[in-house]
């Protein structure tokens, strides 16, 4: 009798044996249907066995074989086994996290058509239309060549707009089928001439054979994307595939348009969470069968099963969006390093502000450092100005000197960007009589006042309530907003500069489909304008007319309990500052602070992020913090705080484990969220094998613990925050 070992999507750190009936055959990597706990579930075959440790009379037969051919190769299963082991996550949940939703539910893998739109001959002639949206849709198709309907909807275009152009015979719709793209010289559109640093970086990458991780450390505006594009030419012309990882969905449309303009007849696919299950399956199969040359995707695209992967590029490698914060807590950048090493192919990590872990590996020669120190368009660097806020008669957070700089910039017909990473009108409401604060009843946090909605909203559990007319404690009507939010900045600036268009870009203002794309189009149309926004403005956007960038609150990262706070602050300042001066003339970056003399700020402003990061690494080494040690967190949450604390306390051994330091149980920085108490156990080790050996033993102990089913727990390896 033959047996199969299967992985099932259940939160158990083990696999299960089932038996094959006579005449049945199945391959490793195929899906089967099994009976499990009185349910029928889809399972993945991970091994074939001639015997089993389980008594034969207790082994159930496979209910149904779904796949005649494997949907996962043995090499890909090995990659996912490593992922599960490294991040201390059940293999079954890891395998099914990596699969598209349609395959998880047992769908047939060969749904290979997607509704696609392209221009007709009449549409190619670029007619003038009354509808601005239809005109914008034509312009998008001119730029991209052809796009799936879902991709167009993600960009904000509606079915009515698409149907309207189809009725006018300006576009046509067809079903795109998978075909193996031919290995032949690809058409390459005109490309700019590289400067010396860009040319040197391309030469080093293209001449290297086999695996190597390259850290492309280039200041904002230095032309990192152009290096990516020119390095990809050889990969595409050799018939290999490439994966380009980007941190945000919002960046994929502009990125893919640039890639499609450079490689007009090369099949390029997108991968992000706005795709339907069928479309994700379509991209999955195209990558597996070699039908696409390039995939531009967010973090989960690292799990795509490429047939002939030749290069991986991680753009903005420092970005925290590459770290999954629940379930399988993987880091896409780190998995890219492992995957490229196993496949013996090059990896490019591009950023202006490398994560300290990445920079440390480059300094230790594990990664090869390539530097771009010159802006591609501007010869002079941006000018930094520190505005001391002590004793200032500010107006809605703006110092008088800041307002003068805004007026001077607008008078020149340029654009101003005002950055504040806090949406809403104010972080809280305060009673002037008794000191009452608008706090969330389910979280250890204040509710944010949203003036336009006339609501108090918790940004952690999403609870909403009406704004009280009187103080709930003392009955006073003296209730006032405290602190700043982007909505308040927009209100003030509209009153102060009534003749200047203002664009606010944050999660609230861009909720409607297409709102972000419409706002970006208005900004890129040029002319004087004020931009107000959160981090959504800081990541990768090119605003040619922005000459002045203002950051209103840069002090939060200087005195935080999180040891990564200064690193994140420096990265944010550098990335936001990089939005200025991209049109050929240097810009101005104005930082409002109560601590202008702080050595970290002075180092960053005067010497740049590169010098700051190397100094920060010295501090980390002296404090024995990552990347010089290795960290994991056991995160636990539950409705009963005593059970949570007792559970974590029981994980602390009586006798210390050699090479391991423990801290806890300690409350999370935000102790209560959505009615659940959250505590943590910090585990630190000087050697990574020691850490993983300890975590393996800890997982076995936790899975047998009597309180484990009364709380929610997870192990976070290499955490990027301690929220």
């Amino acid at each position: 009798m033959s047996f199969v070992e299967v992985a099932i999507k259940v939160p158990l750190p083990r696999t299960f044996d089932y038996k094959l009936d006579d005449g049945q055959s199945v391959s490793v990597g195929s899906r089967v249907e099994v009976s499990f706990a009185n349910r029928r579930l889809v399972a993945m075959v991970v091994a074939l066995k001639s015997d089993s440790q389980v008594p034969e009379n207790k082994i159930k037969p496979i209910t149904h074989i779904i796949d005649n051919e494997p949907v996962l190769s043995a090499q890909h299963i090995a990659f996912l086994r490593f992922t599960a082991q490294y991040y201390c996550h059940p293999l079954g949940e890891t395998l099914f996290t990596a699969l598209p939703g349609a395959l998880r539910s047992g769908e047939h893998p060969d749904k290979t058509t997607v509704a696609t739109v392209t221009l007709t001959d009449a549409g190619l002639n670029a007619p003038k239309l009354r509808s601005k949206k239809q005109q914008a849709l034509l312009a998008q198709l001119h730029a991209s060549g052809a796009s799936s309907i879902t991709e167009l909807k993600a960009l904000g275009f509606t079915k009515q707009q698409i149907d309207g152009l189809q009725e006018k015979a300006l576009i046509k719709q067809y079903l795109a089928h998978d075909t193996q793209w031919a290995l032949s010289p690809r058409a390459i559109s005109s490309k700019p001439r590289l400067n010396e640093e860009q040319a040197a970086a391309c030469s080093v990458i293209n001449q290297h054979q086999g695996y190597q991780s390259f850290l492309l450390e280039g200041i904002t505006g230095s032309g990192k994307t152009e290096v990516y594009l020119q390095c990809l030419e050889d990969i595409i012309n050799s018939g290999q595939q490439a994966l380009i990882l980007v941190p945000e969905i919002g960046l994929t449309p502009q990125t893919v348009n640039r890639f499609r303009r450079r490689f007009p007849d090369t099949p390029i696919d997108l991968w992000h969470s706005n795709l339907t299950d069928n479309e994700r399956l379509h991209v999955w199969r195209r990558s597996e069968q070699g039908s696409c040359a390039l995939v531009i995707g967010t973090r989960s695209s690292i799990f795509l099963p490429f047939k002939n992967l030749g290069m991986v590029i991680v753009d903005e490698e420092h970005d925290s969006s590459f770290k999954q914060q629940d379930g399988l807590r993987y880091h896409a950048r780190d998995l890219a390093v492992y995957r490229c090493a196993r496949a013996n192919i090059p990896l490019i990590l591009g950023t202006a502000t490398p994560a300290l872990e990445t920079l440390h590996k480059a300094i230790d020669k594990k990664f090869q450092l390539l530097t771009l120190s010159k802006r591609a368009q501007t010869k002079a660097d941006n000018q930094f100005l520190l505005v001391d806020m002590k004793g200032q008669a500010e107006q809605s957070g703006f110092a008088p000197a800041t307002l003068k700089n805004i007026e001077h910039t607008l008078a020149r017909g340029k654009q101003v960007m005002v950055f504040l990473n806090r949406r809403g009108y104010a972080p809280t409401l305060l009673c002037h009589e008794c000191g009452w604060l608008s706090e969330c009843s389910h979280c250890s946090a204040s509710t944010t006042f949203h003036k336009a909605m006339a609501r108090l909203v918790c940004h952690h559990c999403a609870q909403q309530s009406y704004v009280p007319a009187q103080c709930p404690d003392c009955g006073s009507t003296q209730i006032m907003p405290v602190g700043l939010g982007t909505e308040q900045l927009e209100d003030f600036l509209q009153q102060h500069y009534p003749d200047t268009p203002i664009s606010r870009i944050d999660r609230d203002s861009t909720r409607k489909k297409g709102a972000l794309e419409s706002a970006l189009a208005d900004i890129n149309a040029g002319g004087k304008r004020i931009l107000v926004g959160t981090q959504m403005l800081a990541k990768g956007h090119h605003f040619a007319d922005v000459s002045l960038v203002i950051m209103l609150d840069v002090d939060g990262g200087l005195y935080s309990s999180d040891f990564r706070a200064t690193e994140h602050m420096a990265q944010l300042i550098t990335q936001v500052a990089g939005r200025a001066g991209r049109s050929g003339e240097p810009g101005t970056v104005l930082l409002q602070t109560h601590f202008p003399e702080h050595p970290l700020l002075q180092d960053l402003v005067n010497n740049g992020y590169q010098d700051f990061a190397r100094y920060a690494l010295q501090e980390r080494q002296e404090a024995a913090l990552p990347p010089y040690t290795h960290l994991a967190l056991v995160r636990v949450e539950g409705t009963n705080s005593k059970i949570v604390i007792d559970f974590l306390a029981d994980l602390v051994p009586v006798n210390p484990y050699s090479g391991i330091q423990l801290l806890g149980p300690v409350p999370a920085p935000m102790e209560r969220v959505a009615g659940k108490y959250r505590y943590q156990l910090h585990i630190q080790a000087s050697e990574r094998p020691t850490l993983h050996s300890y975590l393996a033993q800890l997982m076995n102990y936790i899975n047998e613990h009597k309180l484990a089913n009364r709380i929610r727990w997870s192990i976070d390896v290499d955490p990027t925050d301690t929220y």
Side-chain angles (χ1 to χ4, degrees), residues 686-706:
S686 56
E687 301 294 334
R688 188 169 293 283
T690 303
L691 176 66
H692 279 275
S693 174
Y694 181 79
L695 292 177
Q697 296 180 41
L698 188 64
M699 279 191 69
N700 291 334
Y701 181 75
I702 290 175
N703 281 301
E704 297 176 1
H705 199 284
K706 60 183 180 181

Side-chain angles (χ1 to χ4, degrees), residues 499-511:
D499 298 327
T500 301
I502 296 177
S503 298
R504 175 165 63 93
I505 296 184
D506 56 27
R507 196 183 304 174
D508 298 321
S509 65
T510 58
R511 287 188 189 279

